[in-house]
Amino acid sequence: MSDAFQKIKEVLAAVNAATPKTSEELEAFRIQYLGSKGMLKNLMEEIKTVANEQKREFGQQINALKQTAEDKFKSLKNSLDARADASEALDLTRPGEPLPLGSRHPVSITMSRIIEIFVRQGFSVADGPEVEHDWYNFTAMNTPEDHPARDMQDTFYVMDAPGMLLRTHTSNVQARVMTTRKPPIRIIAPGRVYRNETISARSHAQFHQLEGLYIDEGVSFADMKQTLLYFAKEMFGAPKIRLRPSFFPFTEPSAEMDIWLGTDTEENTRLTKGTGWLEILGCGMVDPQVLENCGIDAKKYSGYAFGMGIERQALRLFNIPDIRMLFENDVRFLRQFSSSIV
Ligand code: DAH
């Protein structure tokens, strides 16, 4: 047998003995045997030295050798790749998948800001039911059945449940708290309320209010004024407030509070209808009858209360043109608040 056949045997033995362990070593293996200047290419050249009748046999052996080298290369490459994938999956230093940032609802953001201002003044948050008994929503709040004040608020009554309704204001929490706790009482009650109203860009059949109640010995109108002035300054940066006489069945005297926006900008002129004043809330001294209805001695205790809507404040705060947008839950709208500071 000629030298050329001997060389094939040697190269085959070398290919079989090779144990490349890293991708660099495997690449060196490929270049050494299968590369364009590799050993197989060199062996091909040897065909010139082979006798004619053996050329065919030589060619077959070269092909078999090439196949062996290629198979070895492929299987080693596959196992190295698989190992690389596996170690990648276990790479604990890789950064995590980014989580999409959620967003708070503009009503929640507005509510949180208001709550924070009153909590700073010593108020704590109280809660009450949205499906409420007539007594807490109206009667205890000095609004008996035939009272004309009931017409002020169009009520949703619960079918087949006499005396049950969807609360028309958060004032029901006043009655809930006063009948279960003893003064001093200093609470705010944020929550959802319902009224049978025509839905438009400015009003909705469901919305949010925040109620305030402070009862102790010797609480005065001046205390209320100071608390509300602080709120107006903190919430709106308003330099002054105005208390206009008003009427609510549950307070005496009653007032509505306006904040001073001025008429410097076109928007403020429009919002205040040219007066510079914007109405924000209703308030007053808790009517002694309400205290008595709830079992609190009106000779010993006095208090003030206030109630405000949240949606209109949210519309102003975020420049939202239509109240309905707050209840549609369109994610394209809601996502815009994902970076809002609470
Ligand atoms: N409940 C009133 C409303 O829904 C708001 C209100 C006014 C609440 C005066 C009060 C208050 O506590 O003292 O319009």
Side-chain angles (χ1 to χ4, degrees), residues 82-254:
R83 227 186 298 161
D85 282 352
S87 65
E88 224 172 89
L90 284 173
D91 183 356
L92 301 178
T93 65
R94 284 181 65 186
E97 296 291 326
L99 287 173
L101 192 61
S103 54
R104 301 194 67 203
H105 195 280
V107 168
S108 297
I109 298 169
T110 310
M111 197 85 103
S112 298
R113 287 193 190 180
I114 300 171
I115 291 172
E116 207 211 303
I117 293 165
F118 285 106
V119 165
R120 241 184 276 151
Q121 297 189 88
F123 286 80
S124 56
V125 175
D127 204 2
E130 290 176 24
V131 180
E132 182 58 291
H133 198 281
D134 184 289
W135 190 82
Y136 291 97
N137 193 82
F138 285 130
T139 311
M141 300 310 289
N142 213 18
T143 319
E145 190 114 4
D146 53 354
H147 198 290
R150 288 205 181 194
D151 297 342
M152 283 164 65
Q153 305 173 352
D154 294 308
T155 310
F156 286 117
Y157 287 92
V158 181
M159 265 176 78
D160 301 329
M164 296 303 284
L165 45 79
L166 300 186
R167 68 176 176 188
T168 58
H169 52 188
T170 42
S171 304
N172 70 320
V173 185
Q174 286 194 35
R176 289 264 166 195
V177 170
M178 283 192 278
T179 49
T180 52
R181 292 194 215 167
K182 288 192 170 14
I185 290 168
R186 185 150 45 173
I187 57 107
I188 45 172
R192 202 191 301 260
V193 302
Y194 304 85
R195 286 183 202 176
N196 190 1
E197 272 176 27
T198 312
I199 295 170
S200 72
R202 294 293 292 164
S203 46
H204 210 288
Q206 56 168 342
F207 54 99
H208 295 77
Q209 286 189 334
L210 182 131
E211 192 82 8
L213 177 69
Y214 181 31
I215 300 191
D216 202 350
E217 288 180 47
V219 176
S220 71
F221 199 88
D223 296 331
M224 179 181 81
K225 212 168 107 182
Q226 196 55 37
T227 302
L228 295 178
L229 174 63
Y230 178 79
F231 165 68
K233 285 186 169 167
E234 292 293 301
M235 186 69 190
F236 306 101
K240 54 183 177 179
I241 59 171
R242 177 171 84 170
L243 290 167
R244 271 180 298 105
S246 184
F247 170 79
F248 299 102
F250 27 88
T251 43
E252 184 57 38
S254 304

